[in-house]
Amino acid sequence: MFDKKLIVITGGSSGLGRALALRFAGRGANLAIIARDPDRLEKARLEISARCAPGRRVEAFSCDVSDHEAAAGTFDAIRGSMGTPDMLVNSAGILKEGYFETLPPETFRQVMDINFFGALHCTMAVIKAFRARGAGTIVNIASLGGRMPSFGYAAYCSSKFALVGLTETLRCELAPTKIRVHLVCPGEFDSPMVDDLNTYRTVENRVLTQTVPVLSLDRVADETIAGIMKGRYLIIPGRAGRFLDALARWFPASSRVIVDRRIKKFYRGPSL
């Protein structure tokens, strides 16, 4: 399915983006990985190249995807160097946590710029080529935090809810075509982003988000690949995550009661 395909992955130098790139490389794909840090990109490129089949290529492109012009220029460079992509994986993302009153407006803008507008810019950069070819795949890495709220994630959930809304609309608009759309919504999993979060997160956030067991990065990557291969639109890694999502969909009032009781037990609140 992925053999000889050109797959572009944002956030491809670390975390889930890197893990997916390694798996696609092992299945015969050509990879273009995008991230901001050139040194980390080159390190990831070398690691991914070592997994590639003979004759396959991995190239790295340094870009801040929150910048529309920079993203468009990067995709022009990818087309010039490697050809038209077959798949786009929007995996670039950041996470900020804290009581709403303590988060400045700049934090909301920063998180929205990367998590939502980054995916938007990259999708805009490939959609015309996908339509001209009559085929293509868009994989948006969102979160369970894009389908239900979580304590301390006012900025993060806002960005992921926006990404989920964009992805749902893209699926609807592109359903009559051969352009496929996948929405990936994992719960919390091992990653550098979560390692950083663990240094400062609120007690309430820790208690609530870890109601769902923290998944391994490998499991999230493996289930994401499996979901794409099976043609699933919505991919939620982990049984507990799927159960929690179903509970929130079918019994929203009960879900809110459970969440409220759990938070109340550990609530501290901001120090103002």
Side-chain angles (χ1 to χ4, degrees):
M1 179 177 182
F2 307 117
D3 189 39
K4 298 183 181 179
K5 302 296 184 181
L6 174 55
I7 301 176
V8 180
I9 304 180
T10 71
S13 66
S14 64
L16 183 56
R18 170 181 158 276
L20 291 173
L22 288 166
R23 284 158 174 76
F24 286 131
R27 289 168 169 79
N30 295 298
L31 277 300
I33 58 172
I34 299 174
R36 287 179 289 184
D37 188 323
D39 293 335
R40 292 176 69 179
L41 262 173
E42 179 59 16
K43 182 178 179 180
R45 186 191 70 79
L46 293 173
E47 182 182 12
I48 297 164
S49 295
R51 294 279 190 94
C52 281
R56 303 298 184 264
R57 298 169 60 192
V58 180
E59 292 194 17
F61 298 83
S62 178
C63 175
D64 179 355
V65 294
S66 70
D67 183 327
H68 176 71
E69 296 301 326
T74 296
F75 277 83
D76 285 342
I78 291 171
R79 281 188 287 270
S81 175
M82 304 183 75
T84 300
D86 297 286
M87 178 186 293
L88 166 64
V89 180
N90 285 307
S91 184
I94 60 173
L95 175 60
K96 300 292 182 180
E97 194 271 337
Y99 300 106
F100 176 79
E101 300 94 320
T102 68
L103 298 174
E106 291 76 16
T107 295
F108 284 83
R109 293 192 182 96
Q110 180 188 23
V111 174
M112 188 67 75
D113 278 346
I114 297 295
N115 294 359
F116 174 73
F117 283 104
L120 176 68
H121 295 158
C122 294
T123 302
M124 286 179 166
V126 299
I127 195 65
K128 289 183 179 179
F130 282 0
R131 281 196 178 275
R133 175 191 284 166
T137 302
I138 300 167
V139 182
N140 285 340
I141 308 297
S143 168
L144 279 180
R147 291 175 63 81
M148 62 190 73
S150 187
F151 195 102
Y153 281 165
Y156 182 72
C157 283
S158 295
S159 69
K160 293 298 186 178
F161 265 80
L163 181 58
V164 168
L166 172 65
T167 311
E168 294 279 6
T169 304
L170 286 172
R171 189 216 61 78
C172 180
E173 291 192 15
L174 297 173
T177 75
K178 292 185 179 179
I179 302 172
R180 296 293 170 252
V181 179
H182 300 273
L183 174 64
V184 185
C185 292
E188 192 165 300
F189 60 92
D190 293 326
S191 69
M193 193 163 63
V194 171
D195 289 342
D196 178 65
L197 172 65
N198 283 331
T199 65
Y200 71 88
R201 71 161 80 198
T202 61
V203 172
E204 299 94 333
N205 174 269
R206 184 186 302 277
V207 167
L208 186 60
T209 59
Q210 294 184 355
T211 298
V212 178
V214 178
L215 297 176
S216 70
L217 177 59
D218 285 339
R219 182 170 181 182
V220 174
D222 288 341
E223 291 199 24
T224 297
I225 295 286
I228 294 171
M229 294 180 68
K230 292 176 181 178
R232 292 176 182 162
Y233 165 66
L234 177 61
I235 302 168
I236 301 178
R239 291 182 180 178
R242 290 190 289 273
F243 172 78
L244 190 62
D245 181 75
L247 179 66
R249 296 302 109 194
W250 291 101
F251 305 100
S254 297
S255 179
R256 286 192 290 270
V257 168
I258 293 170
V259 167
D260 290 349
R261 286 178 177 174
R262 189 160 180 80
I263 290 175
K264 185 176 181 180
K265 183 177 180 181
F266 296 92
Y267 185 70
R268 293 183 180 180
S271 299
L272 301 177

